[in-house]
Coordinates of all heavy atoms in Angstrom, one line a residue:
G77 N 25.6 28.0 -2.6 CA 25.5 28.2 -4.0 C 26.5 27.3 -4.7 O 26.6 26.1 -4.5
N78 N 27.3 27.9 -5.6 CA 28.3 27.2 -6.4 C 29.7 27.3 -5.7 O 30.7 26.9 -6.3 CB 28.3 27.6 -7.8 CG 28.7 29.1 -8.0 OD1 28.8 29.8 -7.0 ND2 29.0 29.5 -9.2
K79 N 29.7 27.8 -4.5 CA 31.0 27.9 -3.8 C 31.1 26.8 -2.7 O 30.1 26.3 -2.2 CB 31.0 29.3 -3.0 CG 30.8 30.5 -3.9 CD 30.8 31.8 -3.1 CE 30.6 33.0 -4.0 NZ 29.2 33.0 -4.5
Y80 N 32.3 26.4 -2.4 CA 32.5 25.4 -1.4 C 33.9 25.5 -0.8 O 34.8 26.1 -1.4 CB 32.3 24.0 -2.0 CG 33.3 23.5 -3.0 CD1 34.5 22.8 -2.6 CD2 33.2 23.8 -4.4 CE1 35.4 22.4 -3.5 CE2 34.1 23.4 -5.3 CZ 35.2 22.7 -4.9 OH 36.2 22.3 -5.8
R81 N 34.1 24.8 0.3 CA 35.4 24.7 1.0 C 35.4 23.3 1.6 O 34.5 22.9 2.4 CB 35.6 25.8 2.0 CG 36.9 25.7 2.7 CD 37.2 26.9 3.6 NE 38.4 26.9 4.3 CZ 38.9 27.9 5.0 NH1 38.2 29.0 5.1 NH2 40.0 27.8 5.7
I82 N 36.5 22.6 1.4 CA 36.7 21.3 2.0 C 38.0 21.3 2.8 O 39.0 21.8 2.3 CB 36.9 20.2 0.9 CG1 35.6 20.2 0.0 CG2 37.1 18.8 1.5 CD1 35.8 19.3 -1.3
T83 N 37.9 20.9 4.0 CA 39.1 20.9 4.9 C 39.3 19.5 5.5 O 38.4 18.8 6.0 CB 38.8 21.8 6.1 OG1 38.6 23.2 5.6 CG2 40.1 21.9 7.0
A84 N 40.6 19.0 5.3 CA 41.0 17.7 5.8 C 42.4 17.9 6.4 O 43.1 19.0 6.1 CB 41.0 16.7 4.7
P85 N 42.9 17.0 7.3 CA 44.2 17.2 7.9 C 45.3 17.5 6.8 O 45.6 16.6 5.9 CB 44.5 15.8 8.6 CG 43.1 15.4 8.9 CD 42.2 15.8 7.7
G86 N 45.9 18.6 6.9 CA 47.0 19.0 6.1 C 46.6 19.4 4.7 O 47.5 19.8 3.8
Q87 N 45.3 19.5 4.4 CA 44.8 19.8 3.1 C 43.6 20.7 3.2 O 42.8 20.5 4.1 CB 44.5 18.5 2.3 CG 45.6 17.5 2.2 CD 45.1 16.2 1.7 OE1 43.9 16.0 1.4 NE2 46.0 15.2 1.5
E88 N 43.5 21.6 2.2 CA 42.3 22.4 2.1 C 42.0 22.7 0.6 O 42.9 22.7 -0.2 CB 42.4 23.7 2.8 CG 42.3 23.5 4.3 CD 42.1 24.9 5.0 OE1 41.0 25.4 5.1 OE2 43.1 25.4 5.5
Q89 N 40.7 22.8 0.3 CA 40.4 23.2 -1.1 C 39.3 24.3 -1.0 O 38.3 24.1 -0.2 CB 39.9 22.1 -1.9 CG 39.8 22.4 -3.4 CD 39.6 21.2 -4.3 OE1 38.4 20.7 -4.3 NE2 40.6 20.8 -5.0

Side-chain angles (χ1 to χ4, degrees):
N78 63 351
K79 306 176 180 70
Y80 68 92
R81 179 172 178 175
I82 301 169
T83 301
Q87 307 171 353
E88 286 193 83
Q89 191 171 75

